[in-house]
Amino acid sequence: AAAGRRADARRRSGLRDSCHLRNGLGVWREPRELIARIGEYVELPSASTCCGAAGSYSVVRAKDSARVLDPHLDEIAAADLDVLVVVNAGCYRQLQQGIKRRKLRTRVVHIAELMAEQTSVGISEPSKNSIVVIPAMTGKEKRGKGEEVVKSP
C-alpha cells in the first residue's frame, strides 16, 4: 500500500473535539458517527481535551501551547492514524504544525474536507434518513418557476 494508506482502503481516523463545539454546544457524537461511516474510527483517550490552540493562546504563549499539545501528539503517534479529523480551524493549525514538527505520517483534515473527499469518490449513497443541506437564501432571490422569495430580516 502507498504510504499513509492501508491495503484495505479503510483509513484509521481519529478526532480532536473542538472545545467550543463539545463543551459549549454539547456536540460530540455526530462527528464520530460521520467518521465511523467512512472508515475505522479510533477514539483517542484525550480527544475531548484542549489541544493547546485555545484561540490566540498558541500565538501569545507558543511554548506553553506546545507543552499542552505534546501528549496529544504522543497519542496520535501511538494510534497509528492515517487521518486526524478536526472541526476547528485553530485546532487544525495547531495539530498540523505539531504533526509536521514530529514528522508523523498522519494527515490533518477538517471534517468538511473529509466529507467532501468521500462525496467526490461516491463512497455511499444517501439513505432515506440522510440530511439534505440546502444553501441559505440571501436577500431577495428567485426560486423555481420565477416565484420571488424574500427572506425576513
Side-chain angles (χ1 to χ4, degrees):
R5 297 290 299 186
R6 303 218 177 258
D8 65 0
R10 289 199 38 96
R11 292 186 281 197
R12 286 178 56 85
S13 302
L15 174 73
R16 290 294 316 169
D17 286 305
S18 153
C19 295
H20 177 73
L21 190 63
R22 182 182 180 104
N23 303 326
L25 299 174
V27 175
W28 59 276
R29 286 183 188 98
E30 296 84 350
R32 287 162 172 78
E33 290 169 357
L34 285 171
I35 296 165
R37 287 181 65 187
I38 59 175
E40 178 187 351
Y41 176 70
V42 178
E43 181 71 22
L44 296 169
S46 69
S48 65
T49 60
C50 183
C51 68
S56 62
Y57 185 73
S58 62
V59 175
V60 176
R61 302 196 55 159
K63 288 181 183 177
D64 292 331
S65 174
R67 279 193 287 276
V68 171
L69 176 63
D70 281 339
H72 301 299
L73 295 174
D74 294 340
E75 279 184 6
I76 293 163
D80 190 32
L81 298 176
D82 297 309
V83 175
L84 179 66
V85 182
V86 298
V87 293
N88 175 282
C91 299
Y92 189 111
R93 187 184 130 290
Q94 172 85 339
L95 290 154
Q96 189 175 48
Q97 287 179 345
I99 284 172
K100 183 179 179 180
R101 180 173 35 97
R102 289 264 189 109
K103 297 182 171 85
L104 301 179
R105 70 176 192 86
T106 304
R107 183 171 67 108
V108 178
V109 298
H110 190 278
I111 196 163
E113 292 175 288
L114 184 70
M115 295 296 110
E117 287 173 6
Q118 298 311 309
T119 301
S120 69
V121 296
I123 193 153
S124 64
E125 292 295 318
S127 71
K128 65 179 181 174
N129 296 326
S130 292
I131 296 171
V132 177
V133 178
I134 301 171
M137 303 285 286
T138 56
K140 197 174 186 180
E141 298 171 339
K142 293 193 180 224
R143 182 185 293 177
K145 299 178 182 175
E147 59 198 66
E148 196 172 284
V149 176
V150 179
K151 234 177 109 172
S152 304

